[in-house]
């Protein structure tokens, strides 16, 4: 039922318009590139940017919870750690394409529609939060125990240790994790184009693949590669700026 509904909606989506193939209108003269490329870039950046921001806001506290409640954490709680860890593992085990399809009713409930780049923020966040939480857990767990013990001897609370010591000391690693998260979500957003998610992924699938426009496919792939390169450069630069070790 979900697949039938999805196929009908994608096939009738207003942004999917057939363009006649003309040998004189290729590459940057192609009407698809002229009319749809930059809007698709904007949709991809909006989809990935908002998803990254929401994922960091939800995944950072969850990662701290996983690290702090572990056996060697600052406030060990075995049951809480096992339950939260099991939930994270369950959502991490879903292939993203299957997760997107399974979440269509939930996405429609939250956003009012399961199509378009705004709707894709929901499955992107659901799929990315467990992934990012594990990265944060690894980052904060690598902080030297001596620094945590020093803070405890000075009377710092657990919350102060989490945010003032663990997060502060592991900030370069967390920034690198956010960069990895952003780049991973770019890949996920391209997959979202297969079910009407919009953005560069939808442009590549709808016109590059389904309408055999190789020029559209190549330009789209190059654009995605450039976005990834710029994101990695900015992440590396920010990581060096916040590294005060």
């Amino acid at each position: 039922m979900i697949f039938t509904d999805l196929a009908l909606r994608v096939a009738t989506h207003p942004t999917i318009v057939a363009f006649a193939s003309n040998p004189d209108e290729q590459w940057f003269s192609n009407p698809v590139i002229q009319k749809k490329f930059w809007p698709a870039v904007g949709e991809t950046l909006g989809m990935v940017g908002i998803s990254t921001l929401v994922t960091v806001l939800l995944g950072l506290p969850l990662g701290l919870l996983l690290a702090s409640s572990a056996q060697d954490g600052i406030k060990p709680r075995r049951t809480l750690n096992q339950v939260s860890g099991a939930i994270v593992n369950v959502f991490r085990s879903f292939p993203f394409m299957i997760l997107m399809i399974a979440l269509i009713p939930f996405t429609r409930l939250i956003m009012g529609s399961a199509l378009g780049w705004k709707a894709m923020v929901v499955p992107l966040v659901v799929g990315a939060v467990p992934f990012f939480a594990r990265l944060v857990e690894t980052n904060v767990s690598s902080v030297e125990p001596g620094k945590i013990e020093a803070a405890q001897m000075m009377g710092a609370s657990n919350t102060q240790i989490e945010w003032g010591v663990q997060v502060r000391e592991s900030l370069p690693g967390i920034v690198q994790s956010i960069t990895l998260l952003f780049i991973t979500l770019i890949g996920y957003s391209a997959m979202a184009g297969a079910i009407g998610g919009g953005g560069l992924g939808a442009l590549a699938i709808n016109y590059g693949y389904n309408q055999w426009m190789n020029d559209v496919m190549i330009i789209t792939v190059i654009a995605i590669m450039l976005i990834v390169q710029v994101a990695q450069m900015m992440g590396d630069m920010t990581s060096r700026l916040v590294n005060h070790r």
Side-chain angles (χ1 to χ4, degrees):
M1 184 65 181
I2 288 177
F3 288 94
T4 303
D5 180 56
L6 176 65
L8 288 172
R9 284 175 173 271
V10 171
T12 58
H13 195 259
T15 62
I16 302 176
V17 180
F19 282 79
S21 179
N22 186 337
D24 296 329
E25 294 180 342
Q26 292 187 341
W27 300 102
F28 293 104
S29 297
N30 189 326
V32 175
I33 295 297
Q34 292 180 342
K35 296 180 180 178
K36 294 184 174 295
F37 176 72
W38 288 112
V41 171
E43 289 177 359
T44 293
L45 293 177
M47 181 172 20
V48 175
I50 294 173
S51 299
T52 300
L53 177 61
V54 177
T55 299
V56 170
L57 293 176
L58 298 177
L60 183 56
L62 180 57
L64 287 172
L65 174 67
L66 290 169
S68 300
S69 61
Q71 186 175 1
D72 56 350
I74 59 175
K75 45 183 178 182
R77 295 178 183 175
R78 182 178 178 181
T79 303
L80 177 61
N81 183 264
Q82 289 179 339
V83 171
S84 57
I87 294 173
V88 166
N89 291 339
V90 166
F91 279 93
R92 283 192 67 192
S93 65
F94 274 88
F96 183 65
M97 182 62 77
I98 296 175
L99 182 66
M100 279 194 303
I101 295 172
L103 287 174
I104 285 176
F106 180 68
T107 302
R108 189 179 294 121
L109 176 66
I110 298 297
M111 304 298 290
S113 171
L115 292 176
W117 70 270
K118 294 179 181 177
M120 287 302 109
V121 170
V122 174
L124 286 173
V125 169
V126 173
V129 165
F131 167 72
F132 182 67
R134 286 298 187 191
L135 293 178
V136 172
E137 179 189 16
T138 302
N139 292 145
V140 300
S141 297
S142 64
V143 175
E144 296 179 13
K147 295 182 178 179
I148 297 175
E149 293 171 1
Q152 289 173 329
M153 292 177 64
M154 294 174 65
S157 65
N158 288 335
T159 302
Q160 290 173 323
I161 293 173
E162 285 178 332
W163 294 95
V165 180
Q166 290 181 310
V167 172
R168 187 176 185 278
E169 289 295 321
S170 60
L171 199 54
I174 291 176
V175 170
Q176 289 289 359
S177 296
I178 295 173
T179 304
L180 177 60
L181 168 69
F182 185 87
I183 292 173
T184 301
L185 286 176
I186 290 175
Y188 284 178
S189 72
M191 283 189 271
I195 62 169
L200 290 169
L203 189 70
I205 293 171
N206 295 335
Y207 298 99
Y209 180 71
N210 290 336
Q211 299 193 37
W212 300 81
M213 294 183 178
N214 292 331
D215 52 340
V216 174
M217 179 68 79
I218 293 172
I219 290 175
T220 302
V221 170
I222 292 174
I224 292 175
M225 292 172 62
L226 289 175
I227 292 174
V228 169
Q229 289 296 324
V230 171
Q232 186 65 61
M233 290 174 58
M234 292 179 65
D236 292 342
M237 182 176 66
T238 306
S239 179
R240 287 194 294 270
L241 289 174
V242 300
N243 189 354
H244 301 296
R245 297 174 182 172

